[in-house]
Amino acid sequence: MRHQIRSLLGTMVAPEALVPDGELECWRTGQGQQGLPAAVLAPSTEEELARVLARASEEGWRVLPAGLGRWLEGGGPSDVSVVVSTRRMQEVHEYEPANLTFTAGAGLSFSGLRKTTEPHGQWLPLDPPGGLVGSLGAAVALGIGGPLRHLYGTPRDHVLGLTLVAGDGRILRWGGRVVKNVAGFDVTRLSVGSWGSLGVVTSISARLFPIPEAEVTLIIQGGKVSVLLPLARAMALSSLPLAAVELLDPLELKGSGLAEVGAEPAGPGLVLRLLGSHAQVEEMEARVRSDLSHEVGSLQRLEGETSRAFHETLNGWEEGADLVARLCLLPSELGTLLDEAEEVRDLVSKASSPPGAGMRLSAHVGAGVLRVAVPKLPEGDGGLDPWVSSLRSLRARLEERGGSLTLSSGPSALLREVGAWGAAGEEKALMAGLKAEFDPQGILAPGRLGL
Amino acid sequence: MVSSAGEPQILLHPRSRVVNILPSAVLQELILAVGSEWVISDPDRLLVYEADAQTAQKLAPQAVVLPSDTEEVSRVARVLHRHGVPIVPRGAGTGLSGGALAIEGGVVVGTSRMNRILEVDPENRRAVVQCGVLNTDLSAAAAPFGLHYAPDPSSQTACTIGGNVAENSGGPHCLKYGVTSRYITGLRVVLPDGETVWLGGQAREAPSFDLVGLFVGSEGCFGLATEVEVALVPVPEATRTLLAIFETLGDATRAVTSIISVGLLPAALEIVDQNTIKAVEASIFAAGYPTDAGAALVVEFDGIDAGLELEAEEAARCCEVAGARGVRRAESEEERLALWKGRKKAFGAMGRLAPDLLVQDATVPRSRLTEVLARISEVAERYDIQVANVFHAGDGNLHPNIVFDRRDPDETRRVEDASKEIMRICVDAGGTITGEHGVGADKRKYMPLVFSPQELEVLRGVRGVFDPEGLCNPGKVVPELEGGR
């Protein structure tokens, strides 16, 4: 079967579109023989991809859309026949500074985009996990944002149009490069965050923003995370247009150089990012400081390039962890999320020494999202059993309150047992109907989003 | 479609599926569902519902029902679904694309009684409202908490949140804040078969398809959103408003391009051209704009006070460099409203120019504004028609409005031909056929300009997922295939 898929693909695409056999190990989607794809395809044109997907639909191959291959285990499935990478679709098709929009191949990395737009004083204010080396397509397919979502929103708010090669090979173009567009149903938005289960996003148009003139980061420390929480909430609800309000515990970040500026890396910290004109940033800083004056233990300040570099490091927050869980409730219930995270800490304690070592928390305070990263999970038989039951009941509790728990990454055994996502609930029938419309044979990322 | 003996059959036109007569059994069931006082079937009273604000086409529905909550909407939908009668959702009827028109007959479901604000939750900057709540009433309810609902369509004192959801409405301040879909986080939807589903929800941050995003802008074709969860934002602490007067429309659009290019992000950038200025100044809405000017540009900045002054000054310089004859500054809220007046009252004033008004809504890349407007003016000259431009320049969202007299068949034909040509010019410039008014019944014929047959087929398929029988607001958005659906 594996051999058959490879030789068939060999007849359909240019040789350079197939990743050499020797490199397949780099594209594992899980452990064991099952986790090794039969082929990895990196098409350079939509037509090439369309031919393959049409054939895959006929043959029933399981296909996993991917970007640059840095997060293949995220969300499963772990057993796929073909991985499709957009790494050869990195061209900037159009960039019109006067229109503040661009169109580029989905495989373009955030740093590649930056090289194009920065000389014109423009940027795409998205900072999804994975940082600058991640691809635009991955951020769009996952619909995920980072700390900057506090001011700028998530990919759904920036993407103006995209090309989607559907599961059966239809090449479909949605939206465009105008900032307002209500012609037809909003399939662009439907595609953003669909996790590759409707089609492969090959090209993206999005709006850009002027790069703010000034940048300052304020880091507030003092006491436990529960002490910082009310302050964090107050900042998130302030009328100041803060760019990011993040609560970290511990504050420690590899390579961030925090210790050098006098921060206490082992303790929790509240991170405020201020962006705007010089006058605006100065005013925001003065007002934040006056709000803080009575409560603060210590306050560190980063400015300009140092501040920007710190946030780039922060984007890599999820990297290197065995498990990353994402807990969501309304922002006012962030305290509940922090309490719930303590249960995970108990599990970590039992499995590590010193107890609890290494668990990290990061909250998008304004959004009510808490990320929990566990660096090392127990290995061997039965080691994960308490994690399975504990995560299942945590998910049940959050869903009961209208929230959710997703596992952004974790060992495939755990993801299989717990599921990366919870129940789709009332939306499931509609989602299944839409999936069938775009991917009638169900070959793309089977199992994702519970479909 | 079984009818009991003696009942008139629902008559479906073989091609257009127009429902001519509503059987009295259906009427009785509707009365049972919402109460007799909320079912309208008297032909005279139905005339109110024969069009929305786009009055080119008029067709009264067979009946109108006015339910008060989700449960009643669901009951109504079940009745109509069981009998195969089209259901046409309608908010305040301020739409500009014939979206609330019962073009294939059927029953209009009006949302005017569903006007309760269910929850304002400042701790989470959200509110949950019934779909019939007026746009400005929502902002008024949020005001005591220093919050407001950002999208501000020109009809905001009359239009409903449900209507805004259906059309994905914009407004002058969407340049900075974004359009409706950015602010809708959850929806309770009654599907065309009467089933009720909750889509999205802020708490869930749902790792699922963005069904809320897909539903917003679906123009009543996917069901009826009865309750809407919205995100609220802080009321800006300060504003700076400028009015720049230009000799030509081209100078004004060059100023807009320059303001955007230097990295300013105003809250609004709005232009009215000479024909519009003349109409406004001749009307009861006269705002003191000079009638010999080629165009007027309103520029507004908002946010925290610090830095706004510098931004306003820089924008004023951009206008002067582009050739502005003069730049006025608002020094008070009163003056600010005065500067805005000529823009906000433009549509109202145009009614004076001629009996009929064709409102277009195409969007082009902002960098192509000058060129596209010049070509539109060329078209107007060639067809000898009068075009008045009033538009969201910062978004590239044009409203070339053609004033004419429908009683003159020759003029009407020239208007239609010119209209088509303008649409084509905008699409060729990399734009699209509608930026905020919706496709509705009105622009369906232009959809093939922006979508391939295959993409149109997908749109039909997507609609079919929500409405397999095609009963929900039929005849809108997606053109039908030759020979029926």
PDB file of all heavy atoms in Angstrom, chain A residues 96 99-100 149 173 180 189 233 237 239 287 332 404 426-427, chain B residues 123-125 181 198 200 204-205 210 237 260 366-367 436 455:
ATOM      1  N   GLU A  96       0.476  45.408  -1.805  1.00  0.00           N
ATOM      2  CA  GLU A  96       0.223  46.782  -2.194  1.00  0.00           C
ATOM      3  C   GLU A  96       0.207  47.624  -0.929  1.00  0.00           C
ATOM      4  O   GLU A  96      -0.816  47.703  -0.245  1.00  0.00           O
ATOM      5  CB  GLU A  96      -1.134  46.841  -2.900  1.00  0.00           C
ATOM      6  CG  GLU A  96      -1.146  47.789  -4.059  1.00  0.00           C
ATOM      7  CD  GLU A  96      -2.485  47.790  -4.766  1.00  0.00           C
ATOM      8  OE1 GLU A  96      -3.226  46.792  -4.696  1.00  0.00           O
ATOM      9  OE2 GLU A  96      -2.790  48.807  -5.369  1.00  0.00           O
ATOM     10  N   ASN A  99      -2.659  49.875  -0.121  1.00  0.00           N
ATOM     11  CA  ASN A  99      -3.944  49.237   0.187  1.00  0.00           C
ATOM     12  C   ASN A  99      -3.898  48.521   1.530  1.00  0.00           C
ATOM     13  O   ASN A  99      -4.901  48.016   2.010  1.00  0.00           O
ATOM     14  CB  ASN A  99      -4.309  48.247  -0.927  1.00  0.00           C
ATOM     15  CG  ASN A  99      -5.750  47.803  -0.846  1.00  0.00           C
ATOM     16  OD1 ASN A  99      -6.633  48.596  -0.520  1.00  0.00           O
ATOM     17  ND2 ASN A  99      -5.996  46.537  -1.087  1.00  0.00           N
ATOM     18  N   LEU A 100      -2.716  48.438   2.142  1.00  0.00           N
ATOM     19  CA  LEU A 100      -2.510  47.705   3.393  1.00  0.00           C
ATOM     20  C   LEU A 100      -3.035  46.265   3.323  1.00  0.00           C
ATOM     21  O   LEU A 100      -3.677  45.779   4.253  1.00  0.00           O
ATOM     22  CB  LEU A 100      -3.151  48.440   4.570  1.00  0.00           C
ATOM     23  CG  LEU A 100      -2.244  49.440   5.277  1.00  0.00           C
ATOM     24  CD1 LEU A 100      -2.572  50.845   4.817  1.00  0.00           C
ATOM     25  CD2 LEU A 100      -2.411  49.368   6.791  1.00  0.00           C
ATOM     26  N   ARG A 149      -3.977  39.127  20.535  1.00  0.00           N
ATOM     27  CA  ARG A 149      -5.411  39.073  20.270  1.00  0.00           C
ATOM     28  C   ARG A 149      -6.178  40.067  21.135  1.00  0.00           C
ATOM     29  O   ARG A 149      -7.285  40.465  20.803  1.00  0.00           O
ATOM     30  CB  ARG A 149      -5.942  37.655  20.489  1.00  0.00           C
ATOM     31  CG  ARG A 149      -5.743  37.175  21.921  1.00  0.00           C
ATOM     32  CD  ARG A 149      -6.279  35.785  22.134  1.00  0.00           C
ATOM     33  NE  ARG A 149      -7.734  35.779  22.164  1.00  0.00           N
ATOM     34  CZ  ARG A 149      -8.464  34.685  22.051  1.00  0.00           C
ATOM     35  NH1 ARG A 149      -7.882  33.514  21.892  1.00  0.00           N
ATOM     36  NH2 ARG A 149      -9.770  34.743  22.107  1.00  0.00           N
ATOM     37  N   ARG A 173     -11.873  29.789  -4.709  1.00  0.00           N
ATOM     38  CA  ARG A 173     -11.338  31.069  -4.210  1.00  0.00           C
ATOM     39  C   ARG A 173     -12.447  31.849  -3.508  1.00  0.00           C
ATOM     40  O   ARG A 173     -13.508  32.073  -4.063  1.00  0.00           O
ATOM     41  CB  ARG A 173     -10.765  31.890  -5.362  1.00  0.00           C
ATOM     42  CG  ARG A 173      -9.600  31.181  -6.026  1.00  0.00           C
ATOM     43  CD  ARG A 173      -9.012  31.952  -7.202  1.00  0.00           C
ATOM     44  NE  ARG A 173      -8.411  31.018  -8.130  1.00  0.00           N
ATOM     45  CZ  ARG A 173      -7.233  30.415  -7.956  1.00  0.00           C
ATOM     46  NH1 ARG A 173      -6.520  30.667  -6.873  1.00  0.00           N
ATOM     47  NH2 ARG A 173      -6.771  29.555  -8.841  1.00  0.00           N
ATOM     48  N   LYS A 180     -13.799  45.134   2.952  1.00  0.00           N
ATOM     49  CA  LYS A 180     -15.221  44.894   3.234  1.00  0.00           C
ATOM     50  C   LYS A 180     -15.798  44.109   2.070  1.00  0.00           C
ATOM     51  O   LYS A 180     -15.639  44.507   0.921  1.00  0.00           O
ATOM     52  CB  LYS A 180     -15.969  46.217   3.379  1.00  0.00           C
ATOM     53  CG  LYS A 180     -15.986  46.727   4.806  1.00  0.00           C
ATOM     54  CD  LYS A 180     -16.389  48.162   4.847  1.00  0.00           C
ATOM     55  CE  LYS A 180     -17.888  48.328   4.948  1.00  0.00           C
ATOM     56  NZ  LYS A 180     -18.253  49.756   4.964  1.00  0.00           N
ATOM     57  N   ARG A 189     -14.390  32.795   6.404  1.00  0.00           N
ATOM     58  CA  ARG A 189     -14.423  32.611   7.856  1.00  0.00           C
ATOM     59  C   ARG A 189     -14.614  31.147   8.229  1.00  0.00           C
ATOM     60  O   ARG A 189     -14.046  30.666   9.201  1.00  0.00           O
ATOM     61  CB  ARG A 189     -15.534  33.464   8.472  1.00  0.00           C
ATOM     62  CG  ARG A 189     -15.099  34.876   8.701  1.00  0.00           C
ATOM     63  CD  ARG A 189     -15.596  35.368  10.056  1.00  0.00           C
ATOM     64  NE  ARG A 189     -14.779  36.482  10.524  1.00  0.00           N
ATOM     65  CZ  ARG A 189     -14.882  37.723  10.052  1.00  0.00           C
ATOM     66  NH1 ARG A 189     -15.750  37.999   9.120  1.00  0.00           N
ATOM     67  NH2 ARG A 189     -14.125  38.676  10.533  1.00  0.00           N
ATOM     68  N   ARG A 233      -7.016  41.272  35.760  1.00  0.00           N
ATOM     69  CA  ARG A 233      -8.387  41.478  35.285  1.00  0.00           C
ATOM     70  C   ARG A 233      -8.679  42.970  35.123  1.00  0.00           C
ATOM     71  O   ARG A 233      -9.292  43.398  34.144  1.00  0.00           O
ATOM     72  CB  ARG A 233      -9.393  40.861  36.275  1.00  0.00           C
ATOM     73  CG  ARG A 233      -9.424  39.351  36.240  1.00  0.00           C
ATOM     74  CD  ARG A 233     -10.314  38.823  35.145  1.00  0.00           C
ATOM     75  NE  ARG A 233     -11.678  39.319  35.270  1.00  0.00           N
ATOM     76  CZ  ARG A 233     -12.446  39.681  34.247  1.00  0.00           C
ATOM     77  NH1 ARG A 233     -11.963  39.600  33.023  1.00  0.00           N
ATOM     78  NH2 ARG A 233     -13.675  40.103  34.431  1.00  0.00           N
ATOM     79  N   LEU A 237      -9.649  44.996  31.663  1.00  0.00           N
ATOM     80  CA  LEU A 237     -10.921  45.725  31.544  1.00  0.00           C
ATOM     81  C   LEU A 237     -10.717  47.244  31.503  1.00  0.00           C
ATOM     82  O   LEU A 237     -11.679  47.991  31.479  1.00  0.00           O
ATOM     83  CB  LEU A 237     -11.842  45.366  32.701  1.00  0.00           C
ATOM     84  CG  LEU A 237     -12.454  43.963  32.646  1.00  0.00           C
ATOM     85  CD1 LEU A 237     -13.249  43.671  33.908  1.00  0.00           C
ATOM     86  CD2 LEU A 237     -13.339  43.810  31.421  1.00  0.00           C
ATOM     87  N   SER A 239      -9.877  50.958  30.092  1.00  0.00           N
ATOM     88  CA  SER A 239     -10.261  51.533  28.797  1.00  0.00           C
ATOM     89  C   SER A 239      -9.038  51.823  27.937  1.00  0.00           C
ATOM     90  O   SER A 239      -9.153  52.276  26.808  1.00  0.00           O
ATOM     91  CB  SER A 239     -11.084  52.802  29.021  1.00  0.00           C
ATOM     92  OG  SER A 239     -10.294  53.760  29.674  1.00  0.00           O
ATOM     93  N   ARG A 287      -0.463  55.992  33.029  1.00  0.00           N
ATOM     94  CA  ARG A 287      -1.731  55.633  33.679  1.00  0.00           C
ATOM     95  C   ARG A 287      -1.671  54.252  34.299  1.00  0.00           C
ATOM     96  O   ARG A 287      -2.245  54.014  35.355  1.00  0.00           O
ATOM     97  CB  ARG A 287      -2.875  55.772  32.677  1.00  0.00           C
ATOM     98  CG  ARG A 287      -3.225  57.258  32.502  1.00  0.00           C
ATOM     99  CD  ARG A 287      -4.135  57.541  31.354  1.00  0.00           C
ATOM    100  NE  ARG A 287      -5.419  56.854  31.450  1.00  0.00           N
ATOM    101  CZ  ARG A 287      -6.393  57.022  30.553  1.00  0.00           C
ATOM    102  NH1 ARG A 287      -6.220  57.837  29.536  1.00  0.00           N
ATOM    103  NH2 ARG A 287      -7.533  56.383  30.676  1.00  0.00           N
ATOM    104  N   SER A 332     -14.172  36.476  33.119  1.00  0.00           N
ATOM    105  CA  SER A 332     -14.397  36.716  34.553  1.00  0.00           C
ATOM    106  C   SER A 332     -14.182  35.452  35.375  1.00  0.00           C
ATOM    107  O   SER A 332     -14.101  35.509  36.598  1.00  0.00           O
ATOM    108  CB  SER A 332     -15.814  37.252  34.778  1.00  0.00           C
ATOM    109  OG  SER A 332     -16.760  36.308  34.333  1.00  0.00           O
ATOM    110  N   SER A 404     -14.534  25.061  27.481  1.00  0.00           N
ATOM    111  CA  SER A 404     -13.967  23.947  26.718  1.00  0.00           C
ATOM    112  C   SER A 404     -12.549  23.633  27.180  1.00  0.00           C
ATOM    113  O   SER A 404     -11.889  24.442  27.825  1.00  0.00           O
ATOM    114  CB  SER A 404     -13.950  24.283  25.223  1.00  0.00           C
ATOM    115  OG  SER A 404     -13.060  25.361  24.980  1.00  0.00           O
ATOM    116  N   GLU A 426     -24.237  20.688  19.888  1.00  0.00           N
ATOM    117  CA  GLU A 426     -25.355  21.012  18.993  1.00  0.00           C
ATOM    118  C   GLU A 426     -24.890  21.326  17.574  1.00  0.00           C
ATOM    119  O   GLU A 426     -25.663  21.280  16.639  1.00  0.00           O
ATOM    120  CB  GLU A 426     -26.100  22.241  19.538  1.00  0.00           C
ATOM    121  CG  GLU A 426     -26.768  22.005  20.863  1.00  0.00           C
ATOM    122  CD  GLU A 426     -27.455  23.269  21.375  1.00  0.00           C
ATOM    123  OE1 GLU A 426     -27.606  24.234  20.611  1.00  0.00           O
ATOM    124  OE2 GLU A 426     -27.838  23.260  22.554  1.00  0.00           O
ATOM    125  N   GLU A 427     -23.618  21.693  17.449  1.00  0.00           N
ATOM    126  CA  GLU A 427     -23.125  22.106  16.132  1.00  0.00           C
ATOM    127  C   GLU A 427     -22.732  20.928  15.259  1.00  0.00           C
ATOM    128  O   GLU A 427     -22.451  21.100  14.081  1.00  0.00           O
ATOM    129  CB  GLU A 427     -21.909  23.019  16.306  1.00  0.00           C
ATOM    130  CG  GLU A 427     -22.215  24.317  17.029  1.00  0.00           C
ATOM    131  CD  GLU A 427     -20.985  25.202  17.159  1.00  0.00           C
ATOM    132  OE1 GLU A 427     -19.873  24.657  17.198  1.00  0.00           O
ATOM    133  OE2 GLU A 427     -21.152  26.435  17.223  1.00  0.00           O
TER     134      GLU A 427
ATOM    135  N   GLU B 123     -18.329  42.707  32.950  1.00  0.00           N
ATOM    136  CA  GLU B 123     -17.157  41.954  33.403  1.00  0.00           C
ATOM    137  C   GLU B 123     -16.518  41.160  32.265  1.00  0.00           C
ATOM    138  O   GLU B 123     -15.346  40.810  32.317  1.00  0.00           O
ATOM    139  CB  GLU B 123     -17.573  40.971  34.513  1.00  0.00           C
ATOM    140  CG  GLU B 123     -17.788  41.622  35.852  1.00  0.00           C
ATOM    141  CD  GLU B 123     -16.473  42.168  36.402  1.00  0.00           C
ATOM    142  OE1 GLU B 123     -15.583  41.359  36.694  1.00  0.00           O
ATOM    143  OE2 GLU B 123     -16.339  43.402  36.518  1.00  0.00           O
ATOM    144  N   ASN B 124     -17.319  40.822  31.293  1.00  0.00           N
ATOM    145  CA  ASN B 124     -16.792  40.081  30.140  1.00  0.00           C
ATOM    146  C   ASN B 124     -16.964  40.847  28.842  1.00  0.00           C
ATOM    147  O   ASN B 124     -16.795  40.290  27.759  1.00  0.00           O
ATOM    148  CB  ASN B 124     -17.463  38.712  30.040  1.00  0.00           C
ATOM    149  CG  ASN B 124     -17.085  37.830  31.209  1.00  0.00           C
ATOM    150  OD1 ASN B 124     -15.915  37.551  31.415  1.00  0.00           O
ATOM    151  ND2 ASN B 124     -18.068  37.426  32.007  1.00  0.00           N
ATOM    152  N   ARG B 125     -17.326  42.121  28.984  1.00  0.00           N
ATOM    153  CA  ARG B 125     -17.524  42.972  27.808  1.00  0.00           C
ATOM    154  C   ARG B 125     -18.381  42.295  26.757  1.00  0.00           C
ATOM    155  O   ARG B 125     -18.033  42.209  25.583  1.00  0.00           O
ATOM    156  CB  ARG B 125     -16.173  43.371  27.210  1.00  0.00           C
ATOM    157  CG  ARG B 125     -15.507  44.401  28.076  1.00  0.00           C
ATOM    158  CD  ARG B 125     -14.354  45.047  27.394  1.00  0.00           C
ATOM    159  NE  ARG B 125     -13.813  46.091  28.250  1.00  0.00           N
ATOM    160  CZ  ARG B 125     -12.594  46.575  28.117  1.00  0.00           C
ATOM    161  NH1 ARG B 125     -11.804  46.130  27.176  1.00  0.00           N
ATOM    162  NH2 ARG B 125     -12.173  47.516  28.912  1.00  0.00           N
ATOM    163  N   SER B 181     -19.245  41.093  11.846  1.00  0.00           N
ATOM    164  CA  SER B 181     -18.818  39.730  12.191  1.00  0.00           C
ATOM    165  C   SER B 181     -17.695  39.714  13.218  1.00  0.00           C
ATOM    166  O   SER B 181     -17.519  38.743  13.934  1.00  0.00           O
ATOM    167  CB  SER B 181     -18.406  38.956  10.937  1.00  0.00           C
ATOM    168  OG  SER B 181     -17.349  39.602  10.308  1.00  0.00           O
ATOM    169  N   TRP B 198     -27.491  26.380  19.365  1.00  0.00           N
ATOM    170  CA  TRP B 198     -26.646  27.477  19.844  1.00  0.00           C
ATOM    171  C   TRP B 198     -25.307  27.346  19.135  1.00  0.00           C
ATOM    172  O   TRP B 198     -24.674  26.289  19.164  1.00  0.00           O
ATOM    173  CB  TRP B 198     -26.499  27.410  21.358  1.00  0.00           C
ATOM    174  CG  TRP B 198     -25.535  28.444  21.858  1.00  0.00           C
ATOM    175  CD1 TRP B 198     -24.248  28.225  22.239  1.00  0.00           C
ATOM    176  CD2 TRP B 198     -25.768  29.852  22.010  1.00  0.00           C
ATOM    177  NE1 TRP B 198     -23.661  29.414  22.601  1.00  0.00           N
ATOM    178  CE2 TRP B 198     -24.563  30.421  22.481  1.00  0.00           C
ATOM    179  CE3 TRP B 198     -26.868  30.683  21.781  1.00  0.00           C
ATOM    180  CZ2 TRP B 198     -24.430  31.799  22.725  1.00  0.00           C
ATOM    181  CZ3 TRP B 198     -26.737  32.048  22.031  1.00  0.00           C
ATOM    182  CH2 TRP B 198     -25.543  32.593  22.499  1.00  0.00           C
ATOM    183  N   GLY B 200     -21.397  28.716  18.621  1.00  0.00           N
ATOM    184  CA  GLY B 200     -20.287  29.494  19.176  1.00  0.00           C
ATOM    185  C   GLY B 200     -20.473  29.758  20.657  1.00  0.00           C
ATOM    186  O   GLY B 200     -20.890  28.898  21.417  1.00  0.00           O
ATOM    187  N   ARG B 204     -16.776  29.421  25.163  1.00  0.00           N
ATOM    188  CA  ARG B 204     -16.275  28.178  24.626  1.00  0.00           C
ATOM    189  C   ARG B 204     -15.007  28.377  23.821  1.00  0.00           C
ATOM    190  O   ARG B 204     -14.194  27.487  23.731  1.00  0.00           O
ATOM    191  CB  ARG B 204     -17.338  27.572  23.729  1.00  0.00           C
ATOM    192  CG  ARG B 204     -17.704  26.181  24.157  1.00  0.00           C
ATOM    193  CD  ARG B 204     -18.848  25.702  23.318  1.00  0.00           C
ATOM    194  NE  ARG B 204     -18.347  24.801  22.310  1.00  0.00           N
ATOM    195  CZ  ARG B 204     -18.948  24.606  21.154  1.00  0.00           C
ATOM    196  NH1 ARG B 204     -20.018  25.296  20.851  1.00  0.00           N
ATOM    197  NH2 ARG B 204     -18.470  23.755  20.295  1.00  0.00           N
ATOM    198  N   GLU B 205     -14.908  29.578  23.183  1.00  0.00           N
ATOM    199  CA  GLU B 205     -13.745  29.813  22.331  1.00  0.00           C
ATOM    200  C   GLU B 205     -13.626  28.556  21.481  1.00  0.00           C
ATOM    201  O   GLU B 205     -12.617  27.867  21.430  1.00  0.00           O
ATOM    202  CB  GLU B 205     -12.542  30.031  23.246  1.00  0.00           C
ATOM    203  CG  GLU B 205     -11.212  29.898  22.639  1.00  0.00           C
ATOM    204  CD  GLU B 205     -10.498  31.168  22.235  1.00  0.00           C
ATOM    205  OE1 GLU B 205     -10.995  32.271  22.506  1.00  0.00           O
ATOM    206  OE2 GLU B 205      -9.450  31.020  21.629  1.00  0.00           O
ATOM    207  N   ASP B 210     -16.100  27.797  12.488  1.00  0.00           N
ATOM    208  CA  ASP B 210     -16.603  29.113  12.869  1.00  0.00           C
ATOM    209  C   ASP B 210     -18.008  29.290  12.276  1.00  0.00           C
ATOM    210  O   ASP B 210     -18.213  30.030  11.323  1.00  0.00           O
ATOM    211  CB  ASP B 210     -15.643  30.188  12.342  1.00  0.00           C
ATOM    212  CG  ASP B 210     -16.002  31.586  12.822  1.00  0.00           C
ATOM    213  OD1 ASP B 210     -17.017  31.727  13.531  1.00  0.00           O
ATOM    214  OD2 ASP B 210     -15.267  32.530  12.480  1.00  0.00           O
ATOM    215  N   GLU B 237     -12.287  57.561  24.573  1.00  0.00           N
ATOM    216  CA  GLU B 237     -12.221  58.675  25.524  1.00  0.00           C
ATOM    217  C   GLU B 237     -12.250  60.017  24.812  1.00  0.00           C
ATOM    218  O   GLU B 237     -12.720  61.002  25.363  1.00  0.00           O
ATOM    219  CB  GLU B 237     -10.920  58.577  26.332  1.00  0.00           C
ATOM    220  CG  GLU B 237     -10.896  57.371  27.256  1.00  0.00           C
ATOM    221  CD  GLU B 237      -9.581  57.267  28.020  1.00  0.00           C
ATOM    222  OE1 GLU B 237      -8.716  58.155  27.866  1.00  0.00           O
ATOM    223  OE2 GLU B 237      -9.438  56.288  28.765  1.00  0.00           O
ATOM    224  N   ILE B 260      -3.626  56.891   4.608  1.00  0.00           N
ATOM    225  CA  ILE B 260      -3.411  55.476   4.920  1.00  0.00           C
ATOM    226  C   ILE B 260      -1.935  55.109   4.742  1.00  0.00           C
ATOM    227  O   ILE B 260      -1.355  54.392   5.553  1.00  0.00           O
ATOM    228  CB  ILE B 260      -4.327  54.589   4.052  1.00  0.00           C
ATOM    229  CG1 ILE B 260      -5.781  54.768   4.512  1.00  0.00           C
ATOM    230  CG2 ILE B 260      -3.929  53.118   4.146  1.00  0.00           C
ATOM    231  CD1 ILE B 260      -6.800  54.091   3.641  1.00  0.00           C
ATOM    232  N   ARG B 366      -8.206  50.071  -1.770  1.00  0.00           N
ATOM    233  CA  ARG B 366      -8.169  51.506  -1.459  1.00  0.00           C
ATOM    234  C   ARG B 366      -7.216  52.268  -2.369  1.00  0.00           C
ATOM    235  O   ARG B 366      -7.393  53.443  -2.622  1.00  0.00           O
ATOM    236  CB  ARG B 366      -7.735  51.680  -0.005  1.00  0.00           C
ATOM    237  CG  ARG B 366      -8.717  51.050   0.912  1.00  0.00           C
ATOM    238  CD  ARG B 366      -8.234  51.066   2.318  1.00  0.00           C
ATOM    239  NE  ARG B 366      -7.462  49.886   2.652  1.00  0.00           N
ATOM    240  CZ  ARG B 366      -7.376  49.392   3.876  1.00  0.00           C
ATOM    241  NH1 ARG B 366      -8.002  49.977   4.867  1.00  0.00           N
ATOM    242  NH2 ARG B 366      -6.671  48.313   4.122  1.00  0.00           N
ATOM    243  N   SER B 367      -6.197  51.544  -2.858  1.00  0.00           N
ATOM    244  CA  SER B 367      -5.213  52.199  -3.711  1.00  0.00           C
ATOM    245  C   SER B 367      -5.764  52.486  -5.110  1.00  0.00           C
ATOM    246  O   SER B 367      -5.140  53.184  -5.891  1.00  0.00           O
ATOM    247  CB  SER B 367      -3.980  51.310  -3.808  1.00  0.00           C
ATOM    248  OG  SER B 367      -4.378  49.972  -4.013  1.00  0.00           O
ATOM    249  N   GLU B 436     -21.286  45.989   2.033  1.00  0.00           N
ATOM    250  CA  GLU B 436     -22.018  45.982   3.307  1.00  0.00           C
ATOM    251  C   GLU B 436     -23.531  45.877   3.163  1.00  0.00           C
ATOM    252  O   GLU B 436     -24.215  45.638   4.149  1.00  0.00           O
ATOM    253  CB  GLU B 436     -21.662  47.233   4.123  1.00  0.00           C
ATOM    254  CG  GLU B 436     -21.978  48.537   3.387  1.00  0.00           C
ATOM    255  CD  GLU B 436     -21.643  49.788   4.195  1.00  0.00           C
ATOM    256  OE1 GLU B 436     -21.011  49.670   5.251  1.00  0.00           O
ATOM    257  OE2 GLU B 436     -22.036  50.877   3.759  1.00  0.00           O
ATOM    258  N   GLU B 455     -17.830  27.520  -7.660  1.00  0.00           N
ATOM    259  CA  GLU B 455     -17.942  28.164  -6.352  1.00  0.00           C
ATOM    260  C   GLU B 455     -19.406  28.467  -6.018  1.00  0.00           C
ATOM    261  O   GLU B 455     -19.838  28.314  -4.866  1.00  0.00           O
ATOM    262  CB  GLU B 455     -17.096  29.443  -6.324  1.00  0.00           C
ATOM    263  CG  GLU B 455     -15.602  29.144  -6.259  1.00  0.00           C
ATOM    264  CD  GLU B 455     -14.715  30.201  -6.898  1.00  0.00           C
ATOM    265  OE1 GLU B 455     -15.253  31.229  -7.369  1.00  0.00           O
ATOM    266  OE2 GLU B 455     -13.499  29.982  -6.961  1.00  0.00           O
TER     267      GLU B 455
END
